[in-house]
Amino acid sequence: MPTASPRPRPTLRDVAATAGVSKSLVSLALRGDPGVSESTRDRILAVAEQVGYRPSLSARTLKQGRSMLLGVVISSLENPYQTEIVASVEDAAEQVGLSVVLAHGSRDRGRLADRVQQLGDLGVDGLVVVSSWVPDEVLTAAARRLPVVMVGRTADPVAGVDSVTNDDEQGAALVVDHLVGRGYERIAHVTSSTRPAGLARRRGYEDAMRRAGLGDHVRVAAPDAVDGLLDDGYRAVFARNDVEACDVLDRALDRGLRVPDDVAVVGYDDTLLARRVRPALTTVQQQREVMGERAVALLTGRLGGRTDDVHEVLEPRLVVRASG
Amino acid sequence: MPTASPRPRPTLRDVAATAGVSKSLVSLALRGDPGVSESTRDRILAVAEQVGYRPSLSARTLKQGRSMLLGVVISSLENPYQTEIVASVEDAAEQVGLSVVLAHGSRDRGRLADRVQQLGDLGVDGLVVVSSWVPDEVLTAAARRLPVVMVGRTADPVAGVDSVTNDDEQGAALVVDHLVGRGYERIAHVTSSTRPAGLARRRGYEDAMRRAGLGDHVRVAAPDAVDGLLDDGYRAVFARNDVEACDVLDRALDRGLRVPDDVAVVGYDDTLLARRVRPALTTVQQQREVMGERAVALLTGRLGGRTDDVHEVLEPRLVVRASG
DNA sequence: CCGAACATCTGGAACGTTCCAGTCCTCCTC
DNA sequence: GAGGAGGACTGGAACGTTCCAGATGTTCGG
């Protein structure tokens, strides 16, 4: 099949030549400059369309020093929590005329760091990092050349890097209070994480238990130790995220227990999974749309000249469903 | 906090100046050109490192006419089938020294088309499209300026665009044959799709049923009409994908039926969902790692000068699990 | 000791934009 | 009818690379 070969793509100069004007004028016309007469503008646009002209972003970026691109880094595409944040960042970016390019690290820490570098080299105007796996030194290095904001689960603040996070301790407290309100006392926490967010949730759980006078019942277990909890008479399990909550759910159902009649199960994150599973999970929702919006606002703030670090903390919300 | 302000990033010229050599030599040294003496190379590298030099990809791309970047377009981040393909494309790209930038369309057809354009403008050297939602005219337009390959569910071949697909008809036949082999005769198909892949699976189902002499039992229903099937005594349901299979599963379990004892359920795609759900889904697996590898190979083939269209079709594999 | 061959390095012209400083006009004002 | 004021347009210099055609030594065979 005689397909068009990789012909050199037409440039401003080509358009200018066939339209019989200077390249400067073509540039102005294409960008809608008011100083171009209507007739020539129309002619130029027609020619550009006809020869299939498309501007070269690399040339534009090189000249202007900015790309109108936002980089978003996530650790894994398989993490619905992260991908939902990406979508919200993207919506917010579009509002202010920025486009998003996405990079991910497939669970590999080194690869993630490479991606961050790469996006910087590409010339993005700002970076949104939705992963706590990026090493601090990589973040600070990145922050030296462009605005960086961490979104979601964050570690300790990194100098020069803004952040938008969720109050995980409060979220955990919401769960405990809810379960206590329903009369549960033996409430266990299931977690496999030693990451900052996981630790914060655990802390929130322990503190809330103590506040409720249930300090003696505090019990933290790994996901694969659920059987032990159930054997010991725990009637409610708060898992560190929806995925682990589902594992608990499966385990309980396998033992012939009814949820929530025999045992209550609560998750965290309100991912799609929470809605899909049966019974649907009670879980904690973070304001993901707001997160994206705030992240973009922080970046544009930096681009506008702000130099002090800003850390925003959003309030989580409990979503009560069938599981507890 | 006195954070570093957006200082102008150092360029080749800066490195050259502080190292006391010409910018050309710096360029050569950084790219590991053998014609640079070891001592100067080391010195230059040290200086570059010290001043925090990073090459500008836009300048490089502009000059060289290629970016070493591959664009990958998917319709939605929430589709595990697509994101798994992305990962495999990425692995394959890395093998040949290419990086991947990802764009998605959040289920919006117009946005998807914009993304395709945008990646082209960015200067990617090739495009992998993992979505059947991109309009043909957008694809052909894109194919005029860079190599494009469609991966996964494809519509009819588009001129100038290569493809790597799965034989959906054969996949559906595998399912039917498997169920027939287990003694089922009243096998229904559940589908809500009018997209090419869905239609192919339906066709495969109908043909296989007829070949098995079960033409009289052919029955196709929408996901929300599952109850009708069960009422009519269908004992096996082949769903168009894993998500719809899960819906069928839920519906059956809600009616108190046992799976697979009372009714068998089979999905398609072998997404994570298939493994997670209970009972685990029997489903059809596509060779996703191979898909990425083939896609990249087709692109490099085009970059190497090939001009005729190539369409590769991969064989699906049945994965038998607990559900049927 | 001359020239050639080689290793090492340099200057400048591109690449496709944007943008600044002009250059022409035409039209208005006094 | 001279003197702008603006409107419409142009030329060329950047932006940070790469790469080609040299320039400058150095070494070595004869």
Side-chain angles (χ1 to χ4, degrees):
Chain A
M1 197 173 299
T3 297
S5 291
R7 221 175 332 150
R9 53 144 106 177
T11 87
L12 269 191
R13 217 187 298 280
D14 299 328
V15 177
T18 62
V21 293
S22 73
K23 59 182 174 37
S24 311
L25 191 57
V26 176
S27 176
L28 292 172
L30 289 176
R31 282 175 297 150
D33 188 287
V36 180
S37 78
E38 196 166 346
S39 61
T40 33
R41 184 170 50 91
D42 290 348
R43 188 160 45 93
I44 290 175
L45 291 184
V47 173
E49 162 87 4
Q50 188 229 318
V51 304
Y53 170 78
R54 295 249 82 211
S56 153
L57 287 196
S58 29
R60 201 206 293 277
T61 300
L62 175 59
K63 180 69 210 240
Q64 298 202 131
R66 75 203 140 85
S67 60
M68 292 307 224
L69 247 38
L70 235 53
V72 176
V73 184
I74 65 182
S75 39
S76 164
L77 288 172
E78 277 148 29
N79 187 326
Y81 167 79
Q82 296 187 349
T83 56
E84 286 181 37
I85 291 182
V86 172
S88 91
V89 170
E90 201 149 356
D91 288 341
E94 191 168 339
Q95 299 286 323
V96 296
L98 295 168
S99 304
V100 162
V101 309
L102 184 60
H104 68 112
S106 343
R107 303 165 291 286
D108 178 332
R109 214 173 157 111
R111 195 128 103 168
L112 252 185
D114 287 349
R115 294 292 178 226
V116 171
Q117 292 264 32
Q118 211 165 75
L119 286 176
D121 296 348
L122 226 194
V124 299
D125 293 339
L127 211 53
V128 179
V129 178
V130 197
S131 161
S132 59
W133 287 103
V134 182
D136 282 5
E137 59 274 19
V138 173
L139 285 180
T140 34
R144 261 197 297 276
R145 53 174 177 152
L146 44 71
V148 178
V149 48
M150 291 215 47
V151 175
R153 307 174 177 168
T154 189
D156 296 323
V158 177
V161 176
D162 299 331
S163 71
V164 178
T165 54
N166 174 255
D167 189 340
D168 284 314
E169 296 198 35
Q170 192 195 336
L174 285 177
V175 171
V176 172
D177 294 349
H178 165 72
L179 290 172
V180 169
R182 291 221 166 162
Y184 294 96
E185 298 199 334
R186 314 205 63 172
I187 304 169
H189 181 51
V190 160
T191 182
S192 69
S193 174
T194 57
R195 317 252 57 229
L199 295 179
R201 289 170 196 180
R202 175 179 181 156
R203 219 178 312 123
Y205 155 77
E206 291 170 350
D207 291 350
M209 287 293 279
R210 275 192 285 272
R211 269 200 307 277
L214 300 172
D216 291 347
H217 291 143
V218 164
R219 166 104 173 244
V220 177
D224 54 9
V226 170
D227 283 313
L229 295 178
L230 299 175
D231 289 341
D232 292 353
Y234 275 87
R235 300 283 314 278
V237 177
F238 163 42
R240 152 234 169 191
N241 69 14
D242 288 346
V243 175
E244 292 182 2
C246 285
D247 290 341
V248 172
L249 211 58
D250 287 344
R251 202 69 207 91
L253 294 174
D254 283 354
R255 286 170 66 118
L257 295 172
R258 285 166 309 155
V259 177
D261 301 323
D262 296 327
V263 57
V265 178
V266 178
Y268 206 112
D269 286 346
D270 193 26
T271 54
L272 291 174
L273 199 57
R275 241 158 302 164
R276 164 156 300 281
V277 97
R278 310 223 142 198
L281 278 182
T282 291
T283 187
V284 177
Q285 182 186 52
Q286 313 185 32
Q287 308 178 45
R288 274 178 285 234
E289 335 69 50
V290 181
M291 292 181 124
E293 193 247 311
R294 295 313 305 151
V296 172
L298 288 180
L299 286 182
T300 54
R302 286 267 185 192
L303 289 172
R306 175 172 55 77
T307 59
D308 53 322
D309 297 359
V310 173
H311 300 285
E312 300 205 0
V313 178
L314 302 178
E315 302 234 322
R317 221 165 51 81
L318 185 73
V319 181
V320 180
R321 296 211 181 86
S323 74
Chain B
M1 194 175 303
T3 297
S5 291
R7 220 176 335 149
R9 54 145 106 176
T11 85
L12 268 191
R13 217 186 298 278
D14 299 326
V15 177
T18 63
V21 293
S22 73
K23 60 181 173 39
S24 311
L25 192 55
V26 177
S27 175
L28 292 173
L30 290 175
R31 282 175 298 149
D33 188 288
V36 180
S37 79
E38 197 167 343
S39 61
T40 34
R41 183 170 50 92
D42 290 348
R43 189 160 44 94
I44 290 175
L45 290 185
V47 172
E49 162 86 3
Q50 187 230 319
V51 304
Y53 169 80
R54 295 248 83 211
S56 152
L57 287 195
S58 28
R60 202 208 291 281
T61 299
L62 174 61
K63 181 67 217 246
Q64 297 202 132
R66 78 205 137 85
S67 60
M68 293 306 218
L69 247 39
L70 236 53
V72 175
V73 184
I74 65 182
S75 39
S76 164
L77 288 172
E78 278 147 29
N79 188 327
Y81 168 76
Q82 295 186 349
T83 58
E84 286 181 38
I85 290 182
V86 172
S88 91
V89 170
E90 201 149 357
D91 288 341
E94 191 168 337
Q95 297 287 323
V96 296
L98 295 167
S99 304
V100 162
V101 310
L102 184 59
H104 67 112
S106 341
R107 304 164 292 283
D108 178 333
R109 216 175 155 109
R111 197 129 103 166
L112 251 186
D114 286 348
R115 293 295 178 225
V116 171
Q117 292 263 30
Q118 212 165 73
L119 285 176
D121 295 347
L122 226 197
V124 298
D125 293 339
L127 212 53
V128 179
V129 179
V130 197
S131 161
S132 58
W133 286 104
V134 181
D136 282 5
E137 58 273 20
V138 174
L139 285 179
T140 34
R144 261 198 296 276
R145 54 174 175 150
L146 44 73
V148 178
V149 48
M150 292 213 49
V151 174
R153 308 177 175 164
T154 187
D156 295 324
V158 178
V161 176
D162 298 332
S163 71
V164 178
T165 54
N166 175 257
D167 189 339
D168 284 314
E169 296 198 35
Q170 192 196 337
L174 285 177
V175 172
V176 172
D177 293 349
H178 165 72
L179 290 172
V180 169
R182 292 223 166 162
Y184 294 96
E185 298 200 333
R186 313 205 65 173
I187 304 169
H189 182 51
V190 160
T191 183
S192 69
S193 173
T194 57
R195 319 251 56 232
L199 295 179
R201 289 169 196 181
R202 174 179 182 157
R203 219 176 314 123
Y205 156 77
E206 291 170 349
D207 291 351
M209 287 292 279
R210 274 192 286 272
R211 269 201 307 275
L214 299 173
D216 291 347
H217 291 144
V218 165
R219 168 106 172 241
V220 178
D224 55 8
V226 171
D227 283 313
L229 296 179
L230 299 175
D231 290 342
D232 291 356
Y234 276 87
R235 300 282 316 279
V237 178
F238 163 41
R240 152 239 169 187
N241 68 15
D242 288 345
V243 175
E244 292 183 3
C246 285
D247 290 340
V248 172
L249 210 57
D250 287 343
R251 202 70 207 89
L253 294 174
D254 283 354
R255 285 171 67 120
L257 295 173
R258 286 167 307 157
V259 177
D261 301 324
D262 296 327
V263 57
V265 178
V266 178
Y268 206 111
D269 285 346
D270 192 26
T271 54
L272 291 174
L273 199 56
R275 241 157 302 164
R276 164 156 302 281
V277 95
R278 309 233 143 189
L281 278 181
T282 291
T283 186
V284 177
Q285 182 186 52
Q286 312 185 32
Q287 308 180 45
R288 275 177 284 231
E289 336 69 54
V290 181
M291 292 182 126
E293 192 249 309
R294 295 315 304 152
V296 172
L298 289 179
L299 287 182
T300 54
R302 286 266 186 193
L303 290 172
R306 174 171 56 77
T307 59
D308 52 322
D309 297 358
V310 173
H311 301 285
E312 300 205 0
V313 178
L314 302 178
E315 300 234 322
R317 220 165 52 80
L318 186 73
V319 180
V320 180
R321 295 209 182 87
S323 75

